Amino acid sequence: MTNPATAPFGSWPTPITSALVVRAAARLGEVVVDGDDIWWSESRPGEAGRSALVRRSADGSVTDVLPPPWNARTRVHEYGGGAWTVADGDLWFTEFTDQRLYRLAPGDSAPVAVTPEPGIPSGVRFGDLHPVPGGVLAVRESHAASGAAVDVVNELVRVAADGAVEVLVSGPDFVSDPRPGPSGELAWLQWDHPRMPWDAAQLMVRSPDGTESVVAGGPGESVVQPVWEPDGGLLFFCDRTDVWALYRRRPDGAVEPVLDVGADLAGPQWQLGASRIALFPGGRVVVDVRADDGERLTLRDPSGGLRELPTPGYTAFRALRAAGDAVACVAGGPSAEPVVLSVPLDGSGARVLRPARDLGLDPAWFSRPEHVSFPTPDGGTGIGSAHALVYPPANPGVRAPEGDLPPLLVVVHGGPTASATPVLNLDVQYWTSRGFCVADVDYRGSTGYGRRYRDALQGRWGEVDLDDVIACARFLADSGRVDPARMAIRGGSAGGFTTLAALAMRPGTFSAGASHFGVADLGALARDTHKFESRYLDGLVSPWPERADVYAERSPISHVGTLDTPLAVFQGEEDRIVPLEQAEAIVAALRARRVPHAYLLFPGEQHGFRRAENIRAALDGELSFYAQVWGFDLPTAEAIPPIEVRRG
């Protein structure tokens, strides 16, 4: 636009509304290749967040395989993953509502239940499905009627088409990645409390005679994503050299390095069924190699040579699968929402199999991230810098008054073992197109920078993460890029904890905040959460309950006497990971201190919001909250309903 209007930061009119954020939106999940067909899953906010399964046939036709209300989603580990698989057109999946295994055989008109009731909240769940002749291998998670985390049992099983179940591995606290070998072997991962899989998972192999051996992993070493080769070799990622590099167990049992580029080639196993490697005949493999400006799909040939595959516009990849002489994957980039992409190994043009929705927007509306490293207090970690993706305001139709600086929104990702990704996300562009600067912080403890960076948070959660988000905000303010009087912090889950802790325990930097299903009481979380994370805090904080004093000292709820920063709280009523009581406790403290606050509770939502109407209410409500706290007007054309800000 040649003559942009002038308007204060935060009040810029934009077509990137909450309605656009959810319109025809779909979160692409896993990819499976079945002969010439390519399948993928889509979580659809417009269909109450259900996970639909889609098949693209060789002739290019695309079909929804499971009509509403079928929902292929598992609650194993609560985060799920590997909820479905298919081989020779034979589909197996876990239905979310009852957590039973269902089968849709070729020619059947409707899925048929394979495993018996009961489902949830007690009963049995299945995930990490892998097809074998006559059935599937799976992680089975059995919940007792008590509902207690200590009574949950995780096992590897084989489920036959008639519902018969054979237990293959039992005993470890956790198991995953059941993978049958070419000569009757079985590989899997296992780990025990109090470690998480990115701390110390072991790769196990059972030979046909029943002999078991540890291939790699253990204390101080994590293994993820084993993949068998046709000759009996076994590929896997291991972080023994600080980064998750690629290794191979040869058929003779010896382990050798395959590819170490000095950066993580894999990520933490929050969800089951992840795939960051595609294996092709002749010993060729494709992995995605991380750099500061994104990832690169890279082909390694048997001689060790590396060749980058051209993927213009795409800089982040997951769910890699071999599909003939191409890689099928989910891909996205700074100006591209995720798509299902086919990338030929011969270097010819990549082909979009499942396009992103048509947003109808010029790319000028999209803020492109800048990777920024900034100094931060060492805090005894030996690391004195952290990282962020910084998105400046972007709106071709508006400019700010001369001399004005934009408000800053510091985004704290969850996990805390997660990372910022440079992929077009309308949740971010919703803010930048209104005149906000957004900093998506990879504080110490994030993945993608090696084990040393990840382990810097061990025993220090609630300390170094606070150092880093505050250091990021002050770095941007001192650089003259944002308004130091209008800096907010927001985050969900573990990011919500850092948000609450920064406001309650390090007041003075942020003048507003928003907690989405955030942790307020670490002790309550340790006492009342699901099995997968029930000992997670032993490493991040201290052993529980022996050091309950540390939990109390680090908990935001213990510091509400200094919590005087306006705060918006958003919570799902059915959240089992961060239960409702956490949000209620912080809201009660805000009310008692008469701190300006807003609170939205969403019935039917679990951990994270999946329903379109709730995603919209949370986005618009948070914007309305900042507008009321900082005193700027909202665009009248959107008619955003004001959120109620209370003081008591």
Side-chain angles (χ1 to χ4, degrees), residues 181 215 331 351 469 520:
V215 175
R351 186 163 53 106
V469 295

CSV table of all heavy atoms in Angstrom, one decimal, residues 181 215 331 351 469 520:
chain,number,residue,atom,x,y,z
A,181,GLY,N,12.3,-56.8,13.6
A,181,GLY,CA,13.4,-56.9,12.7
A,181,GLY,C,13.1,-57.8,11.5
A,181,GLY,O,12.2,-58.6,11.5
A,215,VAL,N,21.6,-52.1,23.3
A,215,VAL,CA,22.3,-51.6,22.2
A,215,VAL,C,23.0,-50.3,22.6
A,215,VAL,O,24.2,-50.0,22.3
A,215,VAL,CB,21.5,-51.4,21.0
A,215,VAL,CG1,22.2,-50.8,19.8
A,215,VAL,CG2,20.9,-52.8,20.6
A,331,ALA,N,5.9,-30.4,6.1
A,331,ALA,CA,6.9,-29.3,6.0
A,331,ALA,C,6.3,-28.0,6.1
A,331,ALA,O,5.1,-27.8,5.8
A,331,ALA,CB,7.6,-29.4,4.6
A,351,ARG,N,6.9,-31.6,-4.4
A,351,ARG,CA,5.5,-31.5,-4.8
A,351,ARG,C,4.6,-31.5,-3.6
A,351,ARG,O,4.8,-32.3,-2.7
A,351,ARG,CB,5.1,-32.8,-5.7
A,351,ARG,CG,3.8,-32.8,-6.3
A,351,ARG,CD,3.7,-33.8,-7.4
A,351,ARG,NE,4.2,-35.1,-7.0
A,351,ARG,CZ,3.5,-36.2,-6.8
A,351,ARG,NH1,2.2,-36.1,-6.9
A,351,ARG,NH2,4.0,-37.3,-6.4
A,469,VAL,N,14.1,-15.4,30.0
A,469,VAL,CA,13.0,-14.7,29.4
A,469,VAL,C,13.1,-13.2,29.8
A,469,VAL,O,12.8,-12.3,29.0
A,469,VAL,CB,11.6,-15.2,29.9
A,469,VAL,CG1,11.4,-16.6,29.3
A,469,VAL,CG2,11.4,-15.2,31.4
A,520,ALA,N,1.0,-23.5,38.7
A,520,ALA,CA,1.1,-22.5,39.7
A,520,ALA,C,1.8,-23.1,41.0
A,520,ALA,O,2.4,-22.4,41.8
A,520,ALA,CB,-0.3,-22.0,40.1
